[in-house]
Amino acid sequence: MKKADLLAWRDRARTRWAQLTARERVILGGGAAVLAGVVVWLAVIQPVWRTWKTVPAQRQQLEAQWLKMRAQATQAKSLQALQAVPTPEQARQALQAATQALGSAGQLQLKGERAELTLNEVSPDALQVWLRQARQGARVRPLEMDVRHGERGWSGRLVVQLLAAP
């Protein structure tokens, strides 16, 4: 549209507005205000409102992902700090040392590349220490586990496989 066309349209609109009664002007003004309000709601307020309502859920999801990534990073650092893979003899010695800490509550039987730990009322903390020492010192991999929690602790058997040195 040309500038002259716009000016002509504006003049016609002013003339028409001047011809309207006061009541018609109020009705048209109110309608224009309602229309402007709807446009502002749809274009500005509603998108902000939706975002504001979804932010807490997204924040919780992102925080959970962040915590998971931190846990994975911590695990990766702990795995990097592990010593080199022990020889089979070093692994056996590490398992025996860990089992000696259990006292009479744990008995270890070595069978080639496997080891079987028999538990008799071992406390959860002692079992956790044994598992950590077995994983870090001997680099064992669990194969079978049949343990039950009794009144005084864990009883049963745990079979692990010794990892061969490269």
Side-chain angles (χ1 to χ4, degrees):
M1 274 185 124
K2 297 179 185 177
K3 188 174 181 180
D5 293 338
L6 287 175
L7 291 174
W9 182 85
R10 186 185 71 185
D11 290 339
R12 283 193 309 268
R14 281 186 180 171
T15 305
R16 178 70 181 129
W17 183 261
Q19 293 173 352
L20 294 175
T21 64
R23 183 172 181 245
E24 291 173 330
R25 287 183 196 164
V26 169
I27 291 172
L28 283 177
V34 168
L35 183 61
V38 168
V39 168
V40 167
W41 171 262
L42 291 175
V44 178
I45 297 172
Q46 190 178 26
V48 171
W49 185 268
R50 282 185 186 158
T51 301
W52 188 38
K53 289 179 86 174
T54 61
V55 164
Q58 288 177 345
R59 182 181 158 268
Q60 286 179 342
Q61 182 183 11
L62 291 173
E63 190 171 326
Q65 288 176 353
W66 180 74
L67 290 173
K68 183 179 178 181
M69 287 174 27
R70 282 196 59 187
Q72 289 173 341
T74 302
Q75 182 182 16
K77 285 181 182 178
S78 70
L79 290 174
Q80 288 173 345
L82 291 176
Q83 311 137 353
V85 176
T87 64
E89 184 56 35
Q90 290 172 330
R92 287 183 185 91
Q93 290 173 358
L95 276 177
Q96 289 171 342
T99 305
Q100 286 175 355
L102 294 176
S104 63
Q107 295 187 1
L108 184 70
Q109 295 177 357
L110 298 170
K111 301 174 183 176
E113 292 184 3
R114 292 184 178 202
E116 182 176 324
L117 175 68
T118 304
L119 303 169
N120 186 18
E121 297 179 345
V122 175
S123 72
D125 293 335
L127 181 58
Q128 182 182 11
V129 169
W130 186 89
L131 288 169
R132 184 180 310 116
Q133 289 176 350
R135 174 69 183 118
Q136 291 177 350
R139 295 281 183 98
V140 297
R141 188 181 80 198
L143 294 176
E144 299 175 31
M145 185 171 179
D146 182 24
V147 294
R148 288 172 286 303
H149 187 265
E151 292 178 18
R152 297 185 193 173
W154 294 95
S155 297
R157 72 182 189 90
L158 174 66
V159 179
V160 295
Q161 180 171 358
L162 302 171
L163 298 179

